[in-house]
Amino acid sequence: MSFLSYLFRNKRDNYTAIGLAVCLAVLYFYMNIPFVSYIRDNAALLAPHNPFYGAPFQLNLFNFDPSMQYGPENVTIIHPLINFLTSTLTLLFGKSNLPFLIIQSILNACSSAILYYLIRRIGAGWLLAFIMAIFFGISSYTIFTALIPDSYAYAQFVIILSAGYLHYCRAQDRFSVPANAAFGLLNFGITSTNVATFFGAFFFSLFDRRRHSIWGRLLYTLLVFAALVAGATLIQYFVFSGKTWIGNVFSSMQSGAFSYVAPFSFAHHSRVFHMLLVSPILSPEMAMIDPGIAAFATDLTKPYPVYVNIIGFGLLALAILAFVSGLRTRNAWAFIVYIMFGILLHVVVGFGLATYSYDLYLYAGHYLFAIFVLAAMLISKLHQGLVKQLLTGVMIVFMLVTLVHNIVLHHQTLDYIQTTYETVLQTPEP
């Protein structure tokens, strides 16, 4: 059975996924079109404070960088091959904000639909998979990444699709070397650090006591992956006039990676776990923290509402319990690797902590989907009964509260931005 046949084998699931994707895409569009309209109607007011080298997306939200608008010459080790994508989109749609909102709304909606399929194929019932897919789809990170023309929507789609393919490999006990190497290339090309989580999940997917060729298959896949990267880099060299990601590895690492690293200090970074694990689900209140670059980020002076902590850490607790209860399963290890790598990168290594108050990278939850998958795994494994029904009901309540919270905070954020530009950042008359 092919991957697509495995994924789309159930008509009810297909209709559900299509309906889910359409509704979420429309939701993202209507929630975010006021931001796009505000940028268009106030371009003269925003331009003097635009920190993004004149990019059409002029709002500095969570310090997301509108890198999709920087053109094909923007190549770094962090996003090695993304200029293939940016040059294509720029050629087709120019650099206006509306096409990116439409594309990324559809892309994030499709990510939620794939998550629905993934949870269903893991063994969850229709209702639970539907709830968790919506819950993920209305998370703060997914809503904002539909708006901001950065790499995150594209990376998230590839990550979830890759995770779905790896689950297919585990379920069918078929590990195609070319296919997995190609998924590795996609993950690497959009965001290089994502290759670590993909091959980490691939390793745990291979890890079977009955399998004697795990190391050989892993090495073979890595070699094919390296060959694909070399081939893509060679094409990049010829297509983009000799400019490749290799040419600025050290300079971009120094200016775009190491400069954001700092040691973790609980006294200074006590809210980092909120920023990593809760705020990407339930939008935080935002504040203007740096007028110099018009930076709007999490307002660290305000406490998180009790219900935000209950939902955020409650969902995380379910994910942890799912991992603990599934320690002997490949599924649990294949999904926890995404969360653990995020904690390793941002807390242990400290990537993003040097600019902690700006939210830089800390709000960017590439691992977010795994929390929802693991929580769904735990609930789905329970026998039919009161506890399972109760937890399903709790997820429904969590999802509805999150939806209302994020809609309110999203509109509140735009109101705050408008007020701030009209008062604090108003350009004086010449």
Side-chain angles (χ1 to χ4, degrees):
M1 182 185 296
S2 69
F3 174 51
L4 293 181
S5 298
Y6 177 77
L7 209 62
F8 303 133
R9 65 189 183 190
N10 186 291
K11 286 186 177 180
R12 186 186 186 189
D13 286 341
N14 295 337
Y15 294 142
T16 301
I18 292 171
L20 177 72
V22 170
C23 290
L24 286 175
V26 171
L27 176 68
Y28 301 145
F29 182 83
Y30 279 102
M31 285 185 69
N32 287 314
I33 192 64
F35 284 82
V36 172
S37 299
Y38 175 73
I39 295 171
R40 181 198 62 209
D41 297 339
N42 296 274
L45 175 64
L46 302 179
H49 310 284
N50 183 357
F52 301 125
Y53 313 105
F57 191 89
Q58 303 188 61
L59 296 180
N60 188 353
L61 305 174
F62 299 108
N63 260 8
F64 275 84
D65 193 355
S67 58
M68 302 303 293
Q69 296 179 336
Y70 288 163
E73 297 302 309
N74 184 42
V75 184
T76 67
I77 180 59
I78 300 175
H79 308 294
L81 303 171
I82 202 169
N83 60 341
F84 286 104
L85 179 60
T86 56
S87 60
T88 302
L89 293 178
T90 300
L91 178 65
L92 292 175
F93 305 110
K95 292 185 178 182
S96 63
N97 292 312
L98 184 60
F100 284 101
L101 172 59
I102 295 171
I103 294 166
Q104 291 166 188
S105 293
I106 294 171
L107 205 59
N108 279 3
C110 289
S111 294
S112 296
I114 295 171
L115 190 76
Y116 167 79
Y117 281 116
L118 177 55
I119 294 173
R120 283 287 284 142
R121 298 299 169 262
I122 285 172
W126 175 86
L127 178 61
L128 179 61
F130 183 62
I131 294 165
M132 299 306 282
I134 294 177
F135 198 173
F136 170 77
I138 53 93
S139 64
S140 176
Y141 173 71
T142 309
I143 293 170
F144 272 106
T145 54
L147 166 67
I148 305 167
D150 206 341
S151 62
Y152 293 98
Y154 310 89
Q156 178 176 257
F157 176 78
V158 170
I159 288 170
I160 297 175
L161 184 63
S162 302
Y165 182 75
L166 287 175
H167 178 71
Y168 158 77
C169 292
R170 293 191 296 274
Q172 300 292 307
D173 196 30
R174 297 174 60 183
F175 294 88
S176 167
V177 169
N180 280 292
F183 273 113
L185 174 67
L186 286 174
N187 279 274
F188 172 78
I190 296 177
T191 304
S192 56
T193 52
N194 291 342
V195 77
T197 49
F198 174 76
F199 279 110
F202 178 64
F203 169 76
F204 287 118
S205 298
L206 283 174
F207 200 82
D208 190 338
R209 292 179 180 178
R210 298 168 298 176
R211 187 183 299 279
H212 300 290
S213 58
I214 172 174
W215 297 108
R217 181 58 61 95
L218 177 63
L219 179 60
Y220 187 19
T221 305
L222 287 171
L223 289 174
V224 175
F225 160 74
L228 291 177
V229 170
T233 304
L234 187 62
I235 295 172
Q236 186 181 52
Y237 178 84
F238 287 108
V239 171
F240 299 103
S241 304
K243 187 175 180 62
T244 71
W245 61 274
I246 297 176
N248 64 351
V249 167
F250 296 106
S251 60
S252 61
M253 286 295 288
Q254 189 62 40
S255 61
F258 293 141
S259 61
Y260 301 130
V261 175
F264 175 76
S265 166
F266 187 81
H268 295 96
H269 305 130
S270 57
R271 291 197 172 186
V272 71
F273 292 101
H274 278 89
M275 298 165 80
L276 283 171
L277 302 168
V278 179
S279 292
I281 300 172
L282 295 108
S283 293
E285 290 197 52
M286 296 180 71
M288 163 64 73
I289 64 166
D290 188 345
I293 57 172
F296 294 88
T298 298
D299 188 348
L300 296 174
T301 66
K302 293 185 178 179
Y304 293 88
V306 173
Y307 69 88
V308 168
N309 287 322
I310 291 173
I311 294 174
F313 287 111
L315 193 62
L316 182 63
L318 291 177
I320 293 172
L321 287 173
F323 172 65
V324 172
S325 65
L327 275 173
R328 295 179 178 273
T329 68
R330 290 181 293 170
N331 274 344
W333 284 96
F335 290 115
I336 200 67
V337 71
Y338 292 93
I339 302 172
M340 295 307 297
F341 182 78
I343 293 173
L344 171 67
L345 182 65
H346 297 298
V347 178
V348 179
V349 176
F351 188 64
L353 293 185
T355 50
Y356 169 75
S357 61
Y358 290 82
D359 282 328
L360 192 60
Y361 297 115
L362 300 179
Y363 174 82
H366 283 164
Y367 44 82
L368 189 63
F369 83 98
I371 297 176
F372 291 89
V373 173
L374 286 167
M377 282 173 53
L378 179 71
I379 298 172
S380 66
K381 287 194 300 184
L382 297 173
H383 296 295
Q384 290 292 342
L386 182 61
V387 175
K388 187 171 188 176
Q389 293 175 353
L390 179 63
L391 285 176
T392 302
V394 168
M395 290 300 103
I396 294 174
V397 173
F398 279 9
M399 180 267 292
L400 292 174
V401 173
T402 300
L403 176 62
V404 173
H405 172 91
N406 287 349
I407 290 175
V408 171
L409 264 291
H410 209 65
H411 289 293
Q412 181 178 309
T413 296
L414 181 56
D415 289 341
Y416 178 76
I417 290 171
Q418 292 174 321
T419 302
T420 302
Y421 270 97
E422 291 169 2
T423 55
V424 179
L425 297 177
Q426 178 67 56
T427 304
E429 293 292 332

